[in-house]
């Protein structure tokens, strides 16, 4: 299988040519490949010669300064082939076009890459008792921050007697974002997804456990690629069926990435995703009397006026406030950790912009 089927195109070739120029000066032979499976310490990689297993070079492993620089599913990487192509060493990453990331679970202040170089992010929610509009608003922030285009998939439509009501509720919470209700059991809605899975396009699935992501992979591919499990009847919560990130080629030529379900989504840095996900509130805020209005009790607040008139749902505003405070706290915490790291290293000057491990390696050639 050629790498063009995994998304290699002229744009990636141009980036690669610039890197090869530097590598030839050092007499190092490299080949491009895409990470198709992330299994922790090892990666499955697709190259022009076929599929192989790869692991980080020692130099790359020790040059990485944070977890966000490690290879992730969807990355294009530079490889040195070994053992006749049965094994490869990963020496660097090509610059990413999009990065879907979140904060790692717990109190650790670190980034976890969910997938990279994704064109469309399918945000999956089941139309059962696990349906949650407020949670989807958080997923939309992650999607807008990533650079990928968000699309909401409401699965298990056959199990929902009031599907139209819930679809309308989700559309109000995600203005401008496509919302599709589908049923893998009945085969309904697949034709609506065809524009997103055409040849050369990469889509990724994310959502809570039990929302039907693995079922979607099997349904869109027309074969059983991923294991599935039934959700608990009591609360419609699912189990972690998918335990690692994996990429598959669909019959239409598109590429789909399945990811493990999330019990909770802790957001990473905000790069405008909050304002995009809550675009209606941002537009109303422009009409507030005070530019620094917190939308809590100020006079002349257009956002509060919209709540009082019924134009804006109060629960949506509350989720906006909560998420805004969370992102601000996380940003301040990250800045404190950076200043502490600089101080402990005995540096007094302002740190220069951090380079990626790949950029640092190129400077050495």
């Amino acid at each position: 299988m050629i790498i063009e089927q995994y998304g290699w195109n002229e744009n990636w070739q141009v980036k690669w040519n610039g890197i090869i120029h530097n590598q030839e000066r050092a007499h190092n032979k490299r080949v491009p490949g895409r990470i198709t499976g992330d299994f922790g310490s090892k990666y499955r990689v697709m190259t022009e010669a076929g599929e192989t297993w790869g692991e980080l070079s020692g130099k790359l492993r020790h040059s990485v300064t944070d977890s966000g620089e490690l290879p992730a599913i969807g990355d294009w990487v530079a490889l040195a082939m070994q053992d006749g192509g049965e094994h490869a060493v990963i020496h660097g990453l090509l610059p990413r076009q999009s990065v879907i990331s979140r904060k790692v679970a717990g109190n650790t202040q670190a980034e976890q890459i969910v997938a990279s170089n994704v064109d469309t992010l399918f945000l999956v929610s089941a139309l059962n008792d696990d349906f949650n509009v407020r949670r989807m608003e958080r997923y939309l922030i992650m999607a807008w921050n990533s650079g990928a285009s968000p699309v909401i998939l409401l699965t298990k439509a056959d199990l929902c007697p009031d599907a139209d009501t819930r679809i309308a509720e989700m559309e109000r919470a995600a203005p401008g974002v496509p919302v599709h209700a589908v049923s893998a059991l009945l085969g309904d809605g697949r034709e609506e997804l065809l524009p997103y899975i055409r040849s050369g396009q990469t889509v990724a699935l994310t959502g809570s456990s039990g929302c039907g992501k693995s079922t979607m992979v099997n349904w869109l591919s027309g074969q059983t690629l991923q294991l599935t499990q039934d959700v608990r009847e009591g609360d419609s919560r699912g189990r972690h069926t998918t335990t690692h990130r994996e990429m598959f080629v669909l019959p239409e030529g598109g590429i789909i990435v399945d990811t493990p379900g999330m019990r909770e989504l802790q957001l990473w840095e905000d790069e405008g995703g909050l304002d995009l996900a809550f675009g209606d509130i941002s537009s109303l805020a422009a009409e507030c009397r005070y530019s620094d209005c917190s939308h809590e009790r100020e006079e002349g607040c257009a956002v509060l006026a919209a709540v009082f008139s019924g134009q804006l749902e109060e629960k949506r505003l509350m989720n906006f406030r909560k998420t805004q405070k969370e992102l601000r706290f996380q940003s301040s915490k990250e800045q404190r950790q950076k200043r502490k790291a600089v101080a402990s290293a005995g540096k007094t000057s302002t740190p220069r912009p951090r380079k990626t491990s790949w950029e640092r390696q190129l400077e050495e050639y």
Side-chain angles (χ1 to χ4, degrees):
M1 184 171 287
I2 58 176
I3 58 175
E4 281 77 9
Q5 292 177 280
Y6 280 83
W8 187 258
N9 54 35
E10 292 183 2
N11 291 332
W12 288 113
Q13 187 65 54
V14 169
K15 293 181 180 180
W16 179 258
N17 289 342
I19 292 173
I20 284 297
H21 172 71
N22 288 279
Q23 289 183 342
E24 286 178 345
R25 288 164 51 192
H27 305 288
N28 289 323
K29 293 188 178 295
R30 301 283 188 265
V31 298
R34 193 172 197 188
I35 304 291
T36 60
D38 183 351
F39 298 87
S41 60
K42 287 195 174 184
Y43 304 88
R44 197 162 63 224
V45 190
M46 180 59 66
T47 72
E48 185 64 43
E51 194 174 71
T52 186
W53 287 96
E55 58 184 341
L56 302 183
S57 68
K59 187 175 183 179
L60 177 59
R61 185 182 299 109
H62 290 98
S63 66
V64 168
T65 58
D66 61 58
S67 57
E69 294 183 4
L70 291 170
I73 187 82
D75 272 329
W76 287 101
V77 295
L79 305 166
M81 306 304 295
Q82 297 182 349
D83 302 325
E86 295 183 3
H87 181 72
V89 177
I90 301 172
H91 286 271
L93 285 67
L94 272 70
R96 293 161 171 160
Q97 290 185 342
S98 64
V99 183
I100 302 164
S101 65
R102 65 169 184 167
K103 179 185 171 296
V104 297
N107 296 323
T108 304
Q109 197 70 15
E111 181 182 19
Q112 180 185 50
I113 306 298
V114 177
S116 66
N117 300 319
V118 170
D119 299 297
T120 303
L121 181 58
F122 284 164
L123 306 174
V124 186
S125 176
L127 285 167
N128 55 18
D129 292 338
D130 195 41
F131 179 82
N132 190 315
V133 172
R134 305 284 81 86
R135 182 172 60 216
M136 183 58 71
E137 289 171 344
R138 293 177 63 85
Y139 277 100
L140 281 166
I141 296 172
M142 179 182 70
W144 287 122
N145 282 336
S146 73
S149 299
V151 172
I152 297 175
L153 297 188
L154 301 179
T155 62
K156 307 181 183 182
D158 53 287
L159 300 178
C160 184
D162 59 342
D164 289 342
T165 300
R166 291 193 168 184
I167 292 169
E169 185 179 358
M170 191 64 76
E171 288 176 337
R172 288 194 298 271
V177 176
V179 178
H180 302 286
V182 299
S183 169
L185 180 64
L186 301 179
D188 293 340
R190 192 180 190 281
E191 64 283 353
E192 298 177 12
L193 307 183
L194 294 180
Y196 309 114
I197 58 175
R198 62 182 183 272
S199 180
Q201 294 293 300
T202 299
V203 300
L205 298 164
T206 190
S208 60
S209 300
C211 65
K213 298 186 301 299
S214 296
T215 299
M216 288 294 301
V217 171
N218 294 339
W219 180 47
L220 292 174
S221 67
Q223 55 184 313
T224 303
L225 297 174
Q226 295 287 72
L227 297 176
T228 61
Q229 295 188 64
D230 293 332
V231 299
R232 296 195 301 255
E233 294 184 4
D235 57 6
S236 297
R237 297 299 298 273
R239 305 174 181 87
H240 286 292
T241 305
T242 301
T243 58
H244 56 270
R245 297 168 179 83
E246 199 163 2
M247 177 184 291
F248 306 96
V249 175
L250 298 174
E252 289 78 10
I255 306 143
I256 193 165
V257 179
D258 193 13
T259 65
M262 298 183 188
R263 291 298 187 195
E264 63 173 341
L265 171 60
Q266 296 191 53
L267 297 169
W268 188 236
E269 297 175 347
D270 181 35
E271 298 183 10
L274 180 68
D275 286 338
L276 288 171
F278 292 91
D280 51 347
I281 294 179
S282 298
S283 297
L284 288 168
E287 304 299 324
C288 291
R289 182 180 302 174
Y290 305 107
S291 60
D292 60 347
C293 184
S294 64
H295 320 308
E296 293 186 359
R297 58 178 64 86
E298 294 90 343
E299 292 184 5
C301 176
V303 175
L304 291 177
V307 172
F308 294 146
S309 68
Q311 178 185 351
L312 178 67
E313 187 180 3
E314 184 177 11
K315 289 182 179 179
R316 180 167 170 82
L317 175 58
M318 292 173 64
N319 198 30
F320 170 80
R321 289 174 181 162
K322 177 183 176 182
T323 309
Q324 185 183 54
K325 290 177 181 177
E326 175 188 334
L327 288 168
R328 286 175 176 172
F329 174 78
Q330 181 170 302
S331 177
S332 63
K333 185 176 180 180
E334 183 182 3
Q335 291 302 318
R336 288 196 300 271
Q337 288 190 354
K338 287 181 179 179
R339 288 195 295 268
K340 184 177 180 180
V342 170
S344 64
K347 298 177 181 178
T348 57
S349 60
T350 303
R352 300 174 67 181
R354 188 178 59 197
K355 293 186 171 109
T356 65
S357 58
W358 182 245
E359 290 174 320
R360 290 194 297 271
Q361 288 185 58
L362 288 182
E363 289 180 347
E364 297 177 8
Y365 289 123

